[in-house]
Amino acid sequence: MSFGRPVLAAGGVVWRGRHSDLEVAVVHRPRYDDWTLPKGKLAPDEPELVAAVREVGEEVGARVAVSRRVRRVTYDVGPLPKSVSYWAMHYRGGTFTPNDEVDGLAWLSPASARDRLTYDRDRTVLADFVALPVPDSVVVLVRHAKAGRRRDWHGDDVLRPLDETGRRQAEQLAELLACFAPDRIVSADRTRCVQTVQPLARRLRLELQVDPVFSDESYEHSPSATQTALLSLAKPGRVSVVCSQGTTIPSLIEVLGTAGTSPETRKGAAWALSFVDGDVIAADYYPPATG
């Protein structure tokens, strides 16, 4: 029996190729003489997803684009429980360099990886990964960060800016959203929406596109037009971030989300929608940073 707070860690099922050519990365750790999926412990106050991408970068030397959550596994390490969250990560390149922690990297078919892995818990993660096809596109829907109370703003509500907490949330969102390696950033034509994704655009040196179709006003006028605009972003090989508002996003999640998904979306929260052939196969919610 384990006692105390769990040790938190995160990692990824890193994949490349598709269909019959699909391969996943497994690593060898000389300290334990085992083969496992890349993972590592969270730094203090580090978000799980950010830690997962960092650890994969350190162990595999890989640049990745995150898509869906795979699963969390919990097991005991001595007297403490250990909890590890995994994401599917598309390999975008990089160079593996052996080190004291990881001295071997193998790219294997899922069947061969299953045989190579040392632990049943890793085989369970791999089984969850192969249960769904790998996404061909990702759209991350972000509700704008905090912008004070509407009744306290005396100007045009279109121009209402983020408040101090919202600006901190936007900076924190930039770190999280960068894990998905977006190549396109789109915002509704509301100052608070634009300001929410500006730090991400600066970080990735991407042009921020403003499209009124993602505002609540446009959605209420023509829900189908907003839905069509969103689906048009889900092109194979593309990753998009879209910042919108509190009516539009939950409504889109109700229509597009997977079964049993609650559409509630707080300010500064995000949904990562993984697509295959234009259909959503996974909808993962990321709660807002505390600010």
Side-chain angles (χ1 to χ4, degrees):
M1 182 178 296
S2 57
F3 300 93
R5 297 179 62 181
V7 176
L8 298 179
V13 182
V14 184
W15 61 272
R16 67 184 186 185
R18 287 186 180 276
H19 308 301
S20 61
D21 295 326
L22 183 69
E23 296 179 318
V24 298
V26 296
V27 296
H28 182 262
R29 301 185 300 177
R31 178 181 177 185
Y32 305 102
D33 190 22
D34 60 5
W35 286 91
T36 186
L37 299 170
K39 65 181 182 300
K41 295 178 184 177
L42 274 60
D45 300 322
E46 186 178 31
E48 284 186 315
L49 178 55
V50 174
V53 171
R54 176 183 56 76
E55 285 290 340
V56 165
E58 292 175 0
E59 293 197 352
V60 184
R63 300 189 307 276
V64 298
V66 171
S67 55
R68 69 179 181 91
R69 283 193 181 98
V70 179
R71 71 173 293 144
R72 180 190 299 273
V73 295
T74 302
Y75 53 97
D76 291 342
V77 178
L80 295 175
K82 185 172 185 177
S83 178
V84 190
S85 295
Y86 290 92
W87 280 262
M89 300 181 180
H90 185 194
Y91 177 74
R92 294 286 187 86
T95 302
F96 171 68
T97 303
N99 56 66
D100 291 341
E101 291 189 10
V102 174
D103 64 352
L105 166 68
W107 287 99
L108 303 171
S109 70
S112 296
R114 185 186 185 283
D115 293 338
R116 181 74 65 90
L117 289 167
T118 301
Y119 305 108
D120 285 341
R121 57 180 177 263
D122 285 347
R123 296 188 189 100
T124 300
V125 174
L126 182 61
D128 278 13
F129 168 75
V130 300
L132 292 175
V134 295
D136 56 33
S137 63
V138 174
V139 177
V140 185
L141 281 172
V142 183
R143 185 177 177 187
H144 68 76
K146 292 185 177 180
R149 294 181 297 184
R150 184 171 184 171
R151 65 175 179 266
D152 294 335
W153 173 255
H154 302 298
D156 186 341
D157 191 60
V158 171
L159 303 177
R160 179 156 53 98
L162 297 182
D163 60 18
E164 183 178 350
T165 298
R167 290 192 294 272
R168 289 196 299 269
Q169 286 182 320
E171 294 292 341
Q172 293 165 324
L173 270 169
E175 183 179 36
L176 179 79
L177 298 173
C179 295
F180 296 92
D183 52 50
R184 178 168 40 191
I185 304 172
V186 185
S187 171
D189 60 342
R190 299 295 187 268
T191 296
R192 54 195 179 274
C193 292
V194 171
Q195 290 180 339
T196 297
V197 287
Q198 275 180 334
L200 176 67
R202 288 195 298 266
R203 180 186 183 117
L204 300 182
R205 298 182 180 179
L206 291 175
E207 179 184 357
L208 199 167
Q209 305 170 36
V210 176
D211 191 338
V213 75
F214 292 110
S215 70
D216 278 356
E217 183 180 11
S218 292
Y219 179 82
E220 290 165 355
H221 176 71
S222 179
S224 62
T226 304
Q227 183 175 332
T228 298
L230 177 70
L231 293 175
S232 72
L233 298 175
K235 295 289 191 291
R238 303 300 300 270
V239 179
S240 304
V241 168
V242 178
C243 190
S244 185
Q245 297 179 263
T247 295
T248 302
I249 292 179
S251 300
L252 289 171
I253 295 301
E254 281 191 330
V255 173
L256 300 174
T258 53
T261 300
S262 169
E264 181 182 359
T265 310
R266 295 169 59 196
K267 291 177 181 177
W271 286 93
L273 305 180
S274 298
F275 287 84
V276 173
D277 296 331
D279 294 324
V280 176
I281 63 165
D284 297 316
Y285 180 68
Y286 293 85
T290 57

